[in-house]
Each structure stands twice: as structure tokens, then as C-alpha cells.
């Protein structure tokens, strides 16, 4: 087994990949030349439409499949070569947890714990109870898992991933299929885990989810990385849109067009467009008022990750890869 590669951890990267590539046997190039760097302590959102290569990347990071090119380091060690040493420090939840419906939540956790050869049986019950408490399932611990909602099942899966202390949690689409309440629960749980110092790497095809919970993000498109950085940097990098709310959208559109505002879109009482570089926003507002347009609200809307994606790929976010 090789020694930890200090260089990767020195940079503070919990996950780093260099030219990571996967071509499936059928010839499908699922991931191509991926250079990823996940800082320690981040909540890292791995974002991309369905089919963009997220699950394939996660499976390579966890050593479940071999890359066909490039390399990956997790916790400073090469994967899949050091999987046996690395994986005990990594909690993972991919493709929903495997649960026995006829067992209670607590019994399911005891089973998971018993499957871990390094777990001391004498402290098993205490570990299961602590994990249940951490994910807010103590009150439902004695219920059969088949009576759990999807959100509760997902939290039980997280509890299983948290039986041992972890440095890194890898979650593949953790809120997929959940109702809004279930989504909120998982998101707040992710924030709590991050506050406890665990680095969280989660994949999602939901832009607002990444904006709500993540500090950093990497955006995939057709197997390639198109950008990565902090969520704040990314939104700041893309230009926001000028948005005017008015009961006179027709007249507002005319005035704004004359003032050089491009890509004007009217949606009910809101007119939005690309703010012109040369213009002071105050002058635009003054022009509207001079023309008799009644302005209810006027301002720049922060760019969303969707704006970033569209500006980088020229495609909407709903594309199937
Ligand atoms: N075992 C496999 N054999 C062949 N092709 C595969 C295999 N698994 C995935 N692919 C293909 O690789 C590409 C990337 O798939 P992947 O599942 O990694 O994307 P994803 O971003 O995770 O999407 P989703 O959210 O839909 O799972 C897709 O075109 C998919 O059809």
C-alpha cells in the first residue's frame, strides 16, 4: 500500500482528481478528463443534468468501478488502490439505502453495524442510538422501516453512514424523490453535519438545492467539468438581470429597449433583461419614470447557478446528457 500523498492533502483537498476518465465497455464516454478539487470543510455540490456523469464519478471515487484514465485521490490517498484504508473514514449514501422493511429502524442500524468487522459489538447499541439521534429518528427507532416515509428512510441511510466517525460524506442525489418537507430535513441535516466539521460531497440535478446548502460547486455537462469554485464566486461571475415590476410592462419594455437593455422578457408585471454596461441603473430608472412608467420595483437580480450554466453551455439546464 502506498503512503498518503501529502501533496494532495497539503492543498486541503479531501477529494482531488486528475484527468479522471471513464469509458464504459459499450463505448459510452461517461466522464472525460475530470480535474476536481474538493476543499476540506466544504459542502460541495456536484451539479449536472441527468446523465452528465455524476454517479459514474462517485462510483470511481468510492472505488466501486475502475477509471479508464487519469487518477483520483480521496483523503490524500489514491483510489481505488487505497480503498480499504480510505473507506472507513468515508460515509456514503448512493442509490438509496438498502433496508429491511420488516426490521425496525434501530434493528436495521444494528445490522449495518454488525456488518462492519471493525465495529466493537459491545458498543453497538450505543452507536446505533447515537446515530438515530443525530438524524432525528430516536422517536421512530422502534417502528418498522416499511412504515417510514421516503425522507425517514433516507435519514436512516444517513444514520447508517454515520455509525462511525467520518471525515467525508458522499451523498448521491440525497433528496431525489423526496417531498418538500423531506428535502428540507435532509438539507438541514447536511448543514448540521458540515457544522460538525464533516466535509460533504453531494450530487444533485437541482440548482436551487446547491444554492441553498453548498459552499462550493462543480458543474458537469456531458461528462466534462465546465466550472468549479465557491457558489458565491460563481454567482458573482455571471451578470445578474435587471428586473422591473410595473403595471405598464409594454411601455417599460419600449423605454428599456431604447436605453439599450438586451434580451428583454416580459412575465406578467415583470420585465427583465440584460443590464447594459454603459448605463447607470439610476439613469434607467429615471428614464422609466420620465416616460410615465409606474415602477413598483426596480433592481438587479443576483445571477443564479442556472444563469451560470446557461451562459457556459448555451443550453438550458434540463438537457438530458
Ligand atoms: N454501466 C453503464 N454502462 C454503460 N453506460 C453507462 C453505465 N452507467 C452509466 N452509463 C452512461 O454514462 C453516462 C453518465 O451516466 P451517469 O449515471 O454517471 O450520469 P449522472 O449524471 O449520474 O445521471 P443520473 O443522475 O441520471 O444518474 C450516461 O450517458 C449513462 O447512460
Amino acid at each position: 500500500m502506498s503512503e498518503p500523498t501529502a501533496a494532495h492533502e497539503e492543498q486541503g483537498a479531501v477529494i482531488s482528481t486528475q484527468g479522471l476518465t471513464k469509458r464504459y465497455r459499450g463505448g459510452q464516454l461517461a466522464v472525460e478528463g475530470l480535474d476536481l478539487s474538493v476543499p476540506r470543510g466544504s459542502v460541495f455540490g456536484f451539479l449536472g443534468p441527468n446523465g452528465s456523469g455524476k454517479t459514474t464519478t462517485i462510483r470511481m471515487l468510492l472505488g466501486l468501478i475502475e477509471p479508464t484514465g487519469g487518477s483520483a485521490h480521496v483523503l490524500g490517498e489514491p483510489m481505488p488502490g487505497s480503498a480499504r484504508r480510505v473507506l472507513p473514514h468515508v460515509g456514503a449514501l448512493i442509490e438509496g439505502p438498502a433496508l429491511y422493511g420488516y426490521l425496525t429502524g434501530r434493528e436495521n442500524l444494528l445490522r449495518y453495524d454488525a456488518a462492519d468487522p471493525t465495529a466493537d459489538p459491545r458498543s453497538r447499541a450505543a452507536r446505533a442510538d447515537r446515530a438515530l439521534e443525530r438524524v432525528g429518528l430516536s422517536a421512530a427507532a422502534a417502528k418498522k422501516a416499511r412504515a417510514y416515509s421516503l425522507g425517514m428512510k433516507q435519514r436512516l441511510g444517513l444514520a447508517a453512514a454515520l455509525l462511525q466517525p467520518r471525515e467525508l460524506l458522499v451523498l448521491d442525489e440525497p433528496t431525489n424523490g423526496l417531498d418538500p418537507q423531506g428535502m428540507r430535513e435532509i438539507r438541514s441535516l447536511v448543514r448540521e453535519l458540515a457544522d460538525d466539521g464533516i466535509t460533504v460531497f453531494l450530487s444533485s440535478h437541482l440548482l436551487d438545492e446547491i444554492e441553498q446548502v453548498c459552499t462550493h460547486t462543480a458543474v458537469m455537462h456531458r461528462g466534462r467539468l465546465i466550472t468549479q469554485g465557491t457558489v458565491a464566486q460563481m454567482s458573482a461571475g455571471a451578470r445578474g438581470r435587471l428586473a422591473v415590476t410595473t403595471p405598464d410592462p409594454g411601455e417599460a419594455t419600449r423605454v428599456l429597449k431604447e436605453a439599450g437593455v438586451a434580451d428583454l422578457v416580459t412575465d406578467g408585471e415583470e420585465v427583465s433583461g440584460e443590464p447594459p454596461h454603459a448605463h447607470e441603473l439610476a439613469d434607467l430608472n429615471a428614464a422609466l419614470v420620465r416616460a410615465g412608467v409606474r415602477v413598483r420595483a426596480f433592481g438587479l437580480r443576483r445571477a443564479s447557478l442556472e444563469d451560470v450554466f446557461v451562459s457556459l453551455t448555451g443550453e438550458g439546464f434540463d438537457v438530458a446528457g
Side-chain angles (χ1 to χ4, degrees), residues 24 26 28-30 48-57 59 172-173 321:
Y24 283 108
Q28 173 78 34
L29 190 56
N50 289 335
S52 55
K54 304 182 298 294
T55 302
T56 300
T57 301
R59 294 175 75 206
D172 192 12
E173 299 268 2

Side-chain angles (χ1 to χ4, degrees), residues 134-280:
R134 200 163 193 196
V135 301
L137 282 179
S138 299
K143 259 197 193 179
K144 297 249 190 280
R146 66 166 166 262
Y148 278 20
S149 69
L150 217 52
M152 290 164 82
K153 284 181 182 155
Q154 199 68 338
R155 282 190 280 151
L156 190 59
L158 267 170
L162 292 167
L163 282 165
Q164 295 291 332
R166 309 293 191 188
E167 288 181 52
L168 169 67
L169 266 185
V170 177
L171 312 175
D172 192 12
E173 299 268 2
T175 63
N176 215 11
L178 301 189
D179 60 17
Q181 173 64 18
M183 283 186 170
R184 273 195 295 277
E185 286 170 7
I186 295 290
R187 287 173 189 164
S188 73
L189 192 53
V190 164
R191 285 192 206 99
E192 283 170 30
L193 294 169
D195 288 344
D196 289 348
I198 302 177
T199 305
V200 183
F201 180 86
L202 65 90
S203 75
S204 179
H205 65 283
L206 302 174
L207 292 140
D208 61 335
E209 174 156 289
I210 302 271
E211 286 178 329
Q212 283 173 36
V213 292
C214 297
T215 57
H216 293 69
T217 184
V219 185
M220 293 290 283
H221 180 240
R222 301 187 177 181
R224 290 174 154 273
L225 179 72
I226 54 172
T227 183
Q228 68 182 318
T230 68
V231 170
Q233 267 166 5
M234 219 154 270
S235 306
R239 296 183 67 219
R241 280 179 70 82
L242 172 70
V244 180
T245 310
T246 168
D248 313 314
E251 185 61 7
T253 302
R254 190 189 64 72
V255 175
L256 291 173
K257 194 171 182 183
E258 215 161 72
V261 177
D263 192 23
L264 281 159
V265 175
T266 304
D267 181 8
E269 291 206 335
E270 187 190 90
V271 180
S272 64
E274 261 179 41
H277 287 284
H279 254 288
E280 265 290 330

Side-chain angles (χ1 to χ4, degrees), residues 96-126:
L99 300 173
Y100 288 101
Y102 63 89
L103 295 181
T104 66
R106 188 166 185 274
E107 287 164 347
N108 268 287
L109 282 193
L110 294 173
R111 270 198 87 260
Y112 268 103
D113 197 79
D116 177 352
T118 68
D120 180 354
R122 287 167 301 179
S123 43
R124 182 155 294 147

